[in-house]
Amino acid sequence: MKRFYSATINSLRAFAYGARHEAALREEIIALLLGLPIGLFIAPSAAWYVAMIGTLLVLLAVELLNTAIEKLADHVTPDRHVEIGRIKDYGSAAVFCAICLAGLTWLAALAVRCGYI
């Protein structure tokens, strides 16, 4: 139980730091907080709601990992480096894929709710 408590404290500290210092994390936390109530109206079923919120959580997780990679890369060398630039681009591409997944899931749910599918 102590490990779980410590992990929770560390995670909350990371969310707080990220929300204060990283605009992308702030935006995705806001999207999740807005998505929680809005999803209740859009989701055609409980399973859809779980999928919709799940994609926002996946997006937030990918953004956190991308931020961690970028912070580590900047710590290793603050100078511009071609390979580190590519690594950061890979992280950015991963975030883009997660955004696409979330967008497609929410659009599909809306289409089902409106009777288009």
Side-chain angles (χ1 to χ4, degrees):
M1 202 60 170
K2 184 179 178 186
R3 243 177 89 116
F4 179 74
Y5 175 78
S6 295
T8 301
I9 295 301
N10 293 338
S11 297
L12 292 175
R13 186 174 50 240
F15 278 118
Y17 181 83
R20 279 193 312 272
H21 298 284
E22 298 293 329
L25 283 172
R26 249 190 321 275
E27 292 164 2
E28 288 156 7
I29 290 169
I30 290 168
L32 175 62
L33 293 176
L34 290 173
L36 289 167
I38 293 170
L40 291 171
F41 295 102
I42 295 174
S45 69
W48 272 102
Y49 182 75
V50 169
M52 293 162 62
I53 300 306
T55 60
L56 294 177
L57 289 169
V58 167
L59 172 58
L60 187 57
V62 172
E63 184 64 58
L64 286 162
L65 290 170
N66 181 50
T67 300
I69 290 167
E70 288 184 354
K71 294 291 183 189
L72 179 61
D74 291 342
H75 179 74
V76 169
T77 178
D79 301 328
R80 288 190 56 86
H81 191 276
V82 174
E83 288 301 316
I84 288 180
R86 285 190 189 127
I87 291 166
K88 288 181 174 185
D89 289 346
Y90 291 142
S92 179
V95 172
F96 178 76
C97 290
I99 289 170
C100 290
L101 174 64
L104 287 172
T105 303
W106 279 73
L107 285 174
L110 187 58
V112 169
R113 168 60 81 188
C114 293
Y116 294 121
I117 297 177

Coordinates of all heavy atoms in Angstrom, one line a residue, residues 11-104:
S11 N 3.0 10.9 -9.1 CA 2.2 11.2 -10.3 C 1.5 12.6 -10.2 O 1.5 13.4 -11.1 CB 1.1 10.1 -10.5 OG 1.8 8.9 -10.8
L12 N 0.9 12.8 -9.0 CA 0.2 14.1 -8.8 C 1.2 15.3 -8.9 O 0.9 16.3 -9.4 CB -0.6 14.1 -7.5 CG -1.8 13.1 -7.4 CD1 -2.3 13.1 -6.0 CD2 -2.8 13.5 -8.4
R13 N 2.4 15.1 -8.3 CA 3.4 16.1 -8.4 C 3.8 16.4 -9.9 O 3.9 17.5 -10.3 CB 4.6 15.7 -7.6 CG 5.7 16.8 -7.5 CD 6.8 16.4 -6.6 NE 7.4 15.1 -6.9 CZ 7.5 14.1 -6.0 NH1 7.0 14.3 -4.8 NH2 8.0 13.0 -6.3
A14 N 3.9 15.3 -10.7 CA 4.2 15.5 -12.1 C 3.1 16.2 -12.8 O 3.3 17.1 -13.7 CB 4.4 14.1 -12.8
F15 N 1.8 15.8 -12.6 CA 0.7 16.6 -13.2 C 0.7 18.0 -12.8 O 0.5 18.9 -13.7 CB -0.6 16.0 -12.7 CG -1.1 14.8 -13.5 CD1 -1.2 13.6 -12.9 CD2 -1.3 14.8 -14.9 CE1 -1.6 12.4 -13.6 CE2 -1.7 13.7 -15.6 CZ -1.9 12.5 -14.9
A16 N 1.0 18.3 -11.5 CA 1.0 19.7 -11.1 C 2.1 20.5 -11.8 O 1.9 21.6 -12.3 CB 1.1 19.8 -9.6
Y17 N 3.3 19.9 -11.8 CA 4.5 20.6 -12.4 C 4.2 20.8 -13.9 O 4.4 21.8 -14.5 CB 5.7 19.8 -12.2 CG 6.9 20.4 -12.9 CD1 7.6 21.4 -12.2 CD2 7.4 20.1 -14.1 CE1 8.7 22.1 -12.7 CE2 8.4 20.7 -14.7 CZ 9.1 21.7 -14.0 OH 10.2 22.4 -14.6
G18 N 3.7 19.7 -14.6 CA 3.4 19.8 -16.0 C 2.4 20.9 -16.3 O 2.5 21.6 -17.3
A19 N 1.3 20.9 -15.5 CA 0.3 21.9 -15.7 C 0.8 23.3 -15.6 O 0.4 24.2 -16.3 CB -0.9 21.6 -14.8
R20 N 1.7 23.5 -14.7 CA 2.3 24.9 -14.4 C 3.3 25.3 -15.5 O 3.4 26.4 -15.9 CB 3.0 24.9 -13.1 CG 2.1 25.1 -11.9 CD 2.9 25.5 -10.7 NE 4.0 24.6 -10.4 CZ 4.0 23.5 -9.7 NH1 2.9 23.1 -9.2 NH2 5.1 22.8 -9.5
H21 N 4.0 24.3 -16.1 CA 5.2 24.7 -16.9 C 5.0 24.3 -18.4 O 5.9 24.7 -19.2 CB 6.4 24.1 -16.4 CG 6.8 24.6 -15.0 ND1 7.3 25.8 -14.8 CD2 6.6 24.0 -13.8 CE1 7.5 26.0 -13.5 NE2 7.0 24.9 -12.9
E22 N 4.1 23.4 -18.8 CA 4.0 22.9 -20.1 C 2.6 23.2 -20.7 O 1.6 22.7 -20.3 CB 4.2 21.4 -20.2 CG 5.6 21.0 -19.7 CD 6.7 21.5 -20.6 OE1 6.5 21.6 -21.8 OE2 7.8 21.8 -20.1
A23 N 2.6 24.1 -21.7 CA 1.3 24.5 -22.3 C 0.5 23.3 -22.9 O -0.7 23.2 -22.8 CB 1.5 25.6 -23.4
A24 N 1.2 22.4 -23.6 CA 0.6 21.3 -24.2 C -0.1 20.4 -23.2 O -1.3 19.9 -23.4 CB 1.5 20.5 -25.0
L25 N 0.5 20.2 -22.1 CA -0.1 19.4 -21.0 C -1.3 20.1 -20.4 O -2.3 19.5 -20.1 CB 1.0 19.1 -19.9 CG 2.0 18.0 -20.2 CD1 3.1 18.0 -19.1 CD2 1.3 16.7 -20.3
R26 N -1.2 21.4 -20.2 CA -2.3 22.2 -19.7 C -3.5 22.0 -20.6 O -4.6 21.8 -20.2 CB -1.9 23.7 -19.7 CG -1.8 24.2 -18.3 CD -1.7 25.7 -18.2 NE -0.9 26.3 -19.3 CZ 0.5 26.5 -19.2 NH1 1.1 26.0 -18.2 NH2 1.1 27.1 -20.2
E27 N -3.3 22.1 -21.9 CA -4.4 22.0 -22.9 C -5.0 20.7 -22.9 O -6.2 20.5 -23.0 CB -3.9 22.3 -24.3 CG -3.5 23.8 -24.5 CD -2.6 24.0 -25.7 OE1 -2.3 23.1 -26.5 OE2 -2.2 25.2 -25.9
E28 N -4.2 19.6 -22.7 CA -4.8 18.3 -22.7 C -5.4 17.9 -21.4 O -6.4 17.2 -21.4 CB -3.7 17.3 -23.1 CG -3.4 17.4 -24.6 CD -2.0 17.0 -25.0 OE1 -1.3 16.4 -24.2 OE2 -1.6 17.2 -26.2
I29 N -5.0 18.5 -20.3 CA -5.7 18.3 -19.0 C -7.0 19.0 -19.1 O -8.0 18.5 -18.7 CB -4.8 18.9 -17.9 CG1 -3.6 17.9 -17.6 CG2 -5.6 19.0 -16.6 CD1 -2.6 18.5 -16.7
I30 N -7.1 20.2 -19.7 CA -8.3 20.9 -19.9 C -9.3 20.1 -20.8 O -10.5 20.0 -20.5 CB -8.1 22.4 -20.4 CG1 -7.4 23.2 -19.3 CG2 -9.4 23.0 -20.9 CD1 -6.9 24.5 -19.8
A31 N -8.7 19.6 -21.9 CA -9.6 18.8 -22.8 C -10.2 17.6 -22.0 O -11.3 17.3 -22.2 CB -8.7 18.3 -24.0
L32 N -9.4 16.9 -21.2 CA -9.9 15.8 -20.4 C -11.0 16.3 -19.4 O -12.0 15.7 -19.3 CB -8.7 15.1 -19.6 CG -9.1 14.0 -18.7 CD1 -9.8 12.9 -19.4 CD2 -7.9 13.5 -17.9
L33 N -10.7 17.4 -18.7 CA -11.7 17.9 -17.7 C -13.0 18.3 -18.4 O -14.1 18.1 -17.9 CB -11.1 19.0 -16.9 CG -9.9 18.6 -16.0 CD1 -9.3 19.9 -15.3 CD2 -10.4 17.6 -15.0
L34 N -12.9 18.9 -19.6 CA -14.1 19.2 -20.4 C -14.8 18.0 -20.9 O -16.0 17.9 -21.0 CB -13.7 20.2 -21.5 CG -13.3 21.6 -21.1 CD1 -12.9 22.4 -22.3 CD2 -14.5 22.3 -20.4
G35 N -13.9 17.0 -21.4 CA -14.5 15.8 -22.0 C -15.3 15.0 -21.0 O -16.2 14.3 -21.4
L36 N -14.9 15.0 -19.7 CA -15.6 14.2 -18.7 C -17.1 14.5 -18.7 O -17.9 13.6 -18.9 CB -15.0 14.3 -17.4 CG -13.6 13.7 -17.2 CD1 -13.0 14.1 -15.9 CD2 -13.8 12.2 -17.2
P37 N -17.6 15.7 -18.6 CA -19.0 16.0 -18.6 C -19.6 16.0 -20.0 O -20.7 15.5 -20.2 CB -19.2 17.3 -17.9 CG -17.9 18.0 -18.1 CD -16.8 16.9 -18.1
I38 N -18.9 16.5 -21.0 CA -19.4 16.6 -22.3 C -19.6 15.2 -22.9 O -20.6 15.0 -23.6 CB -18.5 17.5 -23.2 CG1 -18.5 18.9 -22.8 CG2 -18.9 17.4 -24.7 CD1 -17.5 19.8 -23.4
G39 N -18.7 14.3 -22.6 CA -18.8 13.0 -23.1 C -20.0 12.3 -22.7 O -20.6 11.4 -23.4
L40 N -20.6 12.6 -21.5 CA -21.8 12.0 -21.0 C -23.0 12.3 -22.0 O -23.9 11.5 -22.1 CB -22.1 12.5 -19.6 CG -21.2 12.0 -18.5 CD1 -21.5 12.8 -17.2 CD2 -21.4 10.5 -18.3
F41 N -23.0 13.5 -22.6 CA -24.0 13.8 -23.5 C -23.8 13.3 -24.9 O -24.8 13.0 -25.6 CB -24.2 15.4 -23.6 CG -24.6 16.0 -22.3 CD1 -23.7 16.6 -21.5 CD2 -25.9 15.9 -21.9 CE1 -24.1 17.1 -20.3 CE2 -26.3 16.4 -20.7 CZ -25.4 17.0 -19.8
I42 N -22.6 13.2 -25.3 CA -22.2 12.7 -26.7 C -22.2 11.2 -26.8 O -22.7 10.6 -27.8 CB -20.9 13.3 -27.1 CG1 -20.9 14.8 -27.3 CG2 -20.4 12.6 -28.5 CD1 -19.6 15.4 -27.6
A43 N -21.7 10.5 -25.8 CA -21.5 9.0 -25.8 C -22.9 8.3 -26.0 O -23.8 8.5 -25.2 CB -20.9 8.6 -24.6
P44 N -23.0 7.5 -27.0 CA -24.2 6.7 -27.2 C -24.4 5.6 -26.2 O -25.5 5.1 -26.0 CB -24.0 6.1 -28.6 CG -22.8 6.8 -29.2 CD -22.0 7.3 -28.1
S45 N -23.4 5.2 -25.5 CA -23.5 4.2 -24.5 C -22.3 4.3 -23.5 O -21.4 5.1 -23.7 CB -23.4 2.8 -25.1 OG -22.1 2.5 -25.6
A46 N -22.4 3.5 -22.4 CA -21.3 3.5 -21.4 C -20.0 3.1 -22.1 O -18.9 3.7 -21.7 CB -21.7 2.7 -20.2
A47 N -20.0 2.1 -22.9 CA -18.8 1.6 -23.6 C -18.2 2.7 -24.4 O -17.0 2.9 -24.5 CB -19.1 0.4 -24.4
W48 N -19.0 3.5 -25.1 CA -18.5 4.6 -25.9 C -17.9 5.7 -25.0 O -16.8 6.2 -25.3 CB -19.6 5.3 -26.7 CG -19.8 4.6 -28.1 CD1 -20.8 3.8 -28.5 CD2 -19.0 4.9 -29.2 NE1 -20.6 3.4 -29.8 CE2 -19.5 4.1 -30.3 CE3 -17.9 5.6 -29.5 CZ2 -19.0 4.0 -31.5 CZ3 -17.3 5.6 -30.8 CH2 -17.9 4.8 -31.8
Y49 N -18.5 5.9 -23.9 CA -18.0 6.9 -22.9 C -16.6 6.5 -22.4 O -15.7 7.3 -22.4 CB -18.9 7.1 -21.8 CG -18.5 8.2 -20.8 CD1 -18.6 9.5 -21.1 CD2 -17.9 7.8 -19.6 CE1 -18.2 10.5 -20.2 CE2 -17.5 8.8 -18.6 CZ -17.6 10.1 -19.0 OH -17.2 11.0 -18.1
V50 N -16.5 5.2 -22.1 CA -15.2 4.7 -21.6 C -14.1 4.9 -22.7 O -13.0 5.3 -22.5 CB -15.3 3.3 -21.2 CG1 -13.9 2.6 -20.9 CG2 -16.1 3.2 -19.9
A51 N -14.5 4.5 -24.0 CA -13.6 4.7 -25.1 C -13.2 6.1 -25.3 O -12.0 6.4 -25.6 CB -14.2 4.1 -26.4
M52 N -14.1 7.0 -25.3 CA -13.9 8.4 -25.5 C -12.9 9.0 -24.4 O -12.0 9.7 -24.7 CB -15.2 9.2 -25.5 CG -16.1 8.9 -26.7 SD -17.8 9.3 -26.5 CE -17.7 11.1 -26.4
I53 N -13.2 8.7 -23.2 CA -12.4 9.2 -22.1 C -11.0 8.5 -22.1 O -10.0 9.1 -21.9 CB -13.1 9.1 -20.7 CG1 -14.4 9.9 -20.7 CG2 -12.2 9.5 -19.6 CD1 -14.3 11.4 -21.1
G54 N -11.1 7.2 -22.4 CA -9.8 6.5 -22.5 C -8.9 7.1 -23.6 O -7.7 7.1 -23.3
T55 N -9.4 7.5 -24.7 CA -8.5 8.1 -25.7 C -7.9 9.4 -25.2 O -6.7 9.7 -25.5 CB -9.2 8.3 -27.1 OG1 -10.3 9.2 -26.9 CG2 -9.7 7.0 -27.7
L56 N -8.6 10.2 -24.4 CA -8.1 11.4 -23.9 C -7.0 11.1 -22.8 O -6.0 11.8 -22.7 CB -9.2 12.3 -23.2 CG -10.2 12.8 -24.2 CD1 -11.3 13.6 -23.5 CD2 -9.6 13.7 -25.3
L57 N -7.2 10.0 -22.1 CA -6.2 9.6 -21.1 C -4.9 9.1 -21.8 O -3.8 9.4 -21.4 CB -6.7 8.5 -20.2 CG -7.7 9.0 -19.1 CD1 -8.4 7.8 -18.5 CD2 -7.1 9.9 -18.1
V58 N -5.1 8.4 -22.9 CA -4.0 7.9 -23.7 C -3.2 9.1 -24.3 O -2.0 9.2 -24.3 CB -4.4 6.9 -24.8 CG1 -3.3 6.7 -25.9 CG2 -4.9 5.6 -24.3
L59 N -4.0 10.1 -24.8 CA -3.3 11.3 -25.3 C -2.5 12.0 -24.2 O -1.4 12.4 -24.5 CB -4.4 12.3 -25.8 CG -4.0 13.7 -26.2 CD1 -2.9 13.6 -27.3 CD2 -5.1 14.5 -26.7
L60 N -3.1 12.1 -23.0 CA -2.3 12.7 -21.9 C -1.1 11.9 -21.6 O 0.0 12.5 -21.3 CB -3.3 12.9 -20.7 CG -2.7 13.6 -19.5 CD1 -2.3 15.0 -19.9 CD2 -3.8 13.7 -18.4
A61 N -1.2 10.6 -21.6 CA -0.1 9.7 -21.3 C 1.0 9.9 -22.3 O 2.2 10.0 -22.0 CB -0.5 8.3 -21.2
V62 N 0.7 9.9 -23.6 CA 1.7 10.1 -24.6 C 2.3 11.5 -24.5 O 3.5 11.6 -24.7 CB 1.0 9.9 -26.0 CG1 2.0 10.2 -27.2 CG2 0.6 8.4 -26.2
E63 N 1.5 12.5 -24.2 CA 2.1 13.8 -24.1 C 3.1 13.9 -22.9 O 4.1 14.5 -23.0 CB 1.0 14.9 -23.9 CG 1.5 16.3 -23.8 CD 2.2 16.8 -25.1 OE1 1.5 16.7 -26.1 OE2 3.3 17.2 -25.0
L64 N 2.7 13.2 -21.8 CA 3.6 13.2 -20.6 C 4.9 12.5 -21.0 O 6.0 12.9 -20.6 CB 3.0 12.5 -19.5 CG 1.9 13.3 -18.7 CD1 1.0 12.3 -17.9 CD2 2.5 14.3 -17.9
L65 N 4.9 11.4 -21.7 CA 6.1 10.7 -22.2 C 6.9 11.5 -23.1 O 8.1 11.6 -23.0 CB 5.7 9.3 -22.8 CG 5.2 8.3 -21.9 CD1 4.6 7.1 -22.7 CD2 6.3 7.8 -20.9
N66 N 6.2 12.2 -24.0 CA 6.9 13.1 -25.0 C 7.6 14.2 -24.2 O 8.8 14.6 -24.5 CB 5.9 13.7 -26.0 CG 6.6 14.6 -27.0 OD1 7.6 14.2 -27.6 ND2 6.1 15.8 -27.2
T67 N 6.9 14.8 -23.2 CA 7.5 15.9 -22.4 C 8.7 15.3 -21.7 O 9.8 16.0 -21.6 CB 6.5 16.4 -21.5 OG1 5.4 17.0 -22.2 CG2 7.1 17.5 -20.6
A68 N 8.6 14.1 -21.1 CA 9.8 13.5 -20.4 C 11.0 13.4 -21.3 O 12.1 13.7 -21.0 CB 9.4 12.2 -19.8
I69 N 10.7 12.9 -22.5 CA 11.8 12.7 -23.5 C 12.4 14.0 -23.8 O 13.7 14.1 -23.9 CB 11.3 12.0 -24.8 CG1 10.9 10.5 -24.5 CG2 12.3 12.1 -25.9 CD1 10.1 9.8 -25.5
E70 N 11.6 15.0 -24.1 CA 12.2 16.4 -24.4 C 13.0 16.9 -23.3 O 14.1 17.5 -23.5 CB 11.0 17.3 -24.8 CG 10.4 17.0 -26.2 CD 9.4 17.9 -26.6 OE1 9.0 18.8 -25.9 OE2 8.9 17.8 -27.8
K71 N 12.5 16.8 -22.1 CA 13.2 17.4 -20.9 C 14.5 16.6 -20.7 O 15.6 17.2 -20.4 CB 12.4 17.2 -19.6 CG 11.1 18.1 -19.6 CD 11.5 19.5 -19.5 CE 10.2 20.4 -19.5 NZ 10.5 21.8 -19.6
L72 N 14.5 15.3 -20.9 CA 15.8 14.5 -20.8 C 16.7 14.9 -21.9 O 17.9 15.1 -21.6 CB 15.5 13.0 -20.8 CG 16.7 12.1 -20.7 CD1 17.4 12.3 -19.4 CD2 16.2 10.7 -20.9
A73 N 16.3 15.1 -23.1 CA 17.1 15.4 -24.2 C 17.7 16.8 -24.0 O 18.9 17.0 -24.2 CB 16.3 15.4 -25.5
D74 N 16.9 17.7 -23.5 CA 17.5 19.1 -23.2 C 18.5 19.1 -22.0 O 19.4 19.9 -22.0 CB 16.3 20.1 -22.9 CG 15.5 20.4 -24.1 OD1 15.9 20.1 -25.2 OD2 14.3 20.9 -23.9
H75 N 18.3 18.1 -21.1 CA 19.2 18.0 -20.0 C 20.6 17.4 -20.5 O 21.6 17.8 -20.0 CB 18.6 17.1 -18.9 CG 19.5 16.9 -17.7 ND1 19.8 17.9 -16.8 CD2 20.3 15.8 -17.4 CE1 20.6 17.5 -15.9 NE2 20.9 16.2 -16.2
V76 N 20.5 16.4 -21.4 CA 21.7 15.8 -21.9 C 22.5 16.8 -22.6 O 23.8 16.9 -22.5 CB 21.3 14.6 -22.8 CG1 22.5 14.1 -23.5 CG2 20.7 13.5 -22.0
T77 N 21.9 17.6 -23.5 CA 22.6 18.6 -24.2 C 21.7 19.8 -24.6 O 20.7 19.5 -25.3 CB 23.4 18.1 -25.5 OG1 24.0 19.2 -26.2 CG2 22.4 17.4 -26.4
P78 N 21.9 20.9 -24.1 CA 21.1 22.1 -24.5 C 21.4 22.6 -25.9 O 20.6 23.4 -26.4 CB 21.4 23.1 -23.4 CG 22.8 22.7 -22.9 CD 22.9 21.3 -23.1
D79 N 22.5 22.1 -26.5 CA 22.8 22.5 -27.8 C 21.9 21.8 -28.8 O 21.4 20.8 -28.6 CB 24.3 22.2 -28.1 CG 25.3 22.9 -27.2 OD1 25.0 24.0 -26.7 OD2 26.3 22.2 -26.9
R80 N 21.8 22.5 -30.0 CA 21.0 21.8 -31.1 C 21.8 20.7 -31.6 O 23.0 20.8 -31.9 CB 20.8 22.8 -32.2 CG 19.7 23.9 -31.8 CD 19.3 24.7 -33.0 NE 18.8 23.9 -34.1 CZ 17.5 23.5 -34.3 NH1 16.6 23.8 -33.3 NH2 17.1 22.9 -35.3
H81 N 21.1 19.5 -31.8 CA 21.8 18.3 -32.2 C 20.8 17.6 -33.2 O 19.6 17.4 -32.8 CB 22.1 17.4 -31.0 CG 23.0 16.3 -31.4 ND1 22.5 15.1 -31.9 CD2 24.3 16.1 -31.3 CE1 23.5 14.3 -32.1 NE2 24.6 14.8 -31.7
V82 N 21.2 17.2 -34.3 CA 20.4 16.7 -35.4 C 19.6 15.4 -34.8 O 18.4 15.3 -35.0 CB 21.2 16.4 -36.7 CG1 20.3 15.6 -37.7 CG2 21.7 17.6 -37.3
E83 N 20.4 14.5 -34.2 CA 19.7 13.3 -33.8 C 18.7 13.5 -32.6 O 17.7 12.9 -32.6 CB 20.8 12.3 -33.3 CG 21.6 11.7 -34.5 CD 20.7 10.9 -35.4 OE1 19.8 10.1 -35.0 OE2 20.9 11.1 -36.7
I84 N 19.1 14.4 -31.7 CA 18.1 14.7 -30.6 C 16.9 15.4 -31.2 O 15.8 15.2 -30.8 CB 18.8 15.6 -29.5 CG1 19.8 14.7 -28.8 CG2 17.8 16.2 -28.6 CD1 20.5 15.3 -27.7
G85 N 17.1 16.2 -32.2 CA 15.9 16.9 -32.9 C 15.0 15.8 -33.5 O 13.8 15.9 -33.4
R86 N 15.6 14.8 -34.1 CA 14.8 13.7 -34.7 C 14.0 12.9 -33.6 O 12.9 12.6 -33.7 CB 15.7 12.7 -35.4 CG 16.1 13.2 -36.8 CD 16.8 12.2 -37.6 NE 17.3 12.8 -38.8 CZ 18.6 12.7 -39.2 NH1 19.4 11.9 -38.5 NH2 19.0 13.3 -40.2
I87 N 14.7 12.7 -32.5 CA 14.1 12.0 -31.3 C 12.9 12.8 -30.8 O 11.8 12.3 -30.6 CB 15.1 11.8 -30.2 CG1 16.1 10.7 -30.6 CG2 14.4 11.4 -28.9 CD1 17.3 10.7 -29.7
K88 N 13.0 14.1 -30.7 CA 11.9 15.0 -30.3 C 10.8 14.9 -31.4 O 9.6 15.0 -31.0 CB 12.4 16.4 -30.1 CG 13.3 16.6 -28.9 CD 13.7 18.0 -28.7 CE 14.4 18.3 -27.4 NZ 14.7 19.7 -27.3
D89 N 11.2 14.9 -32.6 CA 10.1 14.8 -33.7 C 9.4 13.5 -33.6 O 8.1 13.5 -33.8 CB 10.8 14.9 -35.1 CG 11.3 16.3 -35.4 OD1 10.9 17.3 -34.6 OD2 12.1 16.5 -36.3
Y90 N 10.0 12.4 -33.2 CA 9.3 11.1 -33.1 C 8.3 11.3 -31.9 O 7.2 10.8 -32.1 CB 10.3 10.0 -32.7 CG 11.2 9.6 -33.9 CD1 12.5 9.2 -33.6 CD2 10.7 9.6 -35.2 CE1 13.4 8.8 -34.7 CE2 11.6 9.2 -36.2 CZ 12.9 8.8 -36.0 OH 13.7 8.4 -37.0
G91 N 8.7 11.9 -30.9 CA 7.7 12.1 -29.8 C 6.6 12.9 -30.2 O 5.4 12.7 -29.8
S92 N 6.8 14.0 -30.9 CA 5.8 14.8 -31.5 C 4.8 14.1 -32.4 O 3.6 14.2 -32.3 CB 6.4 16.0 -32.2 OG 5.4 16.9 -32.7
A93 N 5.4 13.2 -33.2 CA 4.6 12.4 -34.1 C 3.7 11.4 -33.3 O 2.5 11.2 -33.7 CB 5.5 11.6 -35.1
A94 N 4.2 10.9 -32.2 CA 3.4 10.0 -31.3 C 2.2 10.8 -30.7 O 1.1 10.3 -30.7 CB 4.3 9.4 -30.2
V95 N 2.5 12.0 -30.3 CA 1.4 12.9 -29.8 C 0.3 13.1 -30.9 O -0.9 13.0 -30.6 CB 1.9 14.2 -29.2 CG1 0.8 15.1 -28.9 CG2 2.8 13.9 -28.0
F96 N 0.8 13.4 -32.1 CA -0.1 13.6 -33.2 C -1.0 12.4 -33.5 O -2.2 12.5 -33.7 CB 0.7 14.0 -34.5 CG -0.2 14.2 -35.7 CD1 -0.9 15.4 -35.8 CD2 -0.3 13.2 -36.7 CE1 -1.7 15.5 -36.9 CE2 -1.1 13.4 -37.8 CZ -1.8 14.6 -37.9
C97 N -0.4 11.2 -33.4 CA -1.2 10.0 -33.6 C -2.2 9.8 -32.5 O -3.4 9.5 -32.8 CB -0.3 8.8 -33.6 SG 0.8 8.6 -35.1
A98 N -1.9 10.2 -31.3 CA -2.8 10.1 -30.2 C -4.0 11.1 -30.3 O -5.1 10.8 -30.0 CB -2.1 10.3 -28.8
I99 N -3.6 12.3 -30.8 CA -4.7 13.3 -31.1 C -5.6 12.8 -32.2 O -6.8 13.0 -32.0 CB -4.0 14.6 -31.5 CG1 -3.3 15.3 -30.3 CG2 -5.0 15.6 -32.1 CD1 -2.4 16.5 -30.7
C100 N -5.1 12.2 -33.2 CA -5.9 11.7 -34.3 C -6.8 10.6 -33.8 O -8.0 10.5 -34.1 CB -5.1 11.1 -35.4 SG -4.2 12.4 -36.4
L101 N -6.3 9.7 -32.9 CA -7.1 8.6 -32.3 C -8.3 9.2 -31.5 O -9.4 8.8 -31.6 CB -6.2 7.7 -31.4 CG -7.0 6.7 -30.6 CD1 -7.7 5.7 -31.6 CD2 -6.0 5.9 -29.7
A102 N -7.9 10.2 -30.7 CA -9.0 10.8 -29.8 C -10.0 11.5 -30.7 O -11.2 11.3 -30.5 CB -8.3 11.8 -28.8
G103 N -9.6 12.2 -31.7 CA -10.5 12.9 -32.6 C -11.4 12.0 -33.3 O -12.6 12.2 -33.4
L104 N -10.8 10.9 -33.9 CA -11.7 9.9 -34.6 C -12.7 9.2 -33.7 O -13.8 9.0 -34.0 CB -10.8 8.9 -35.2 CG -10.0 9.3 -36.5 CD1 -9.0 8.2 -36.9 CD2 -10.9 9.6 -37.6

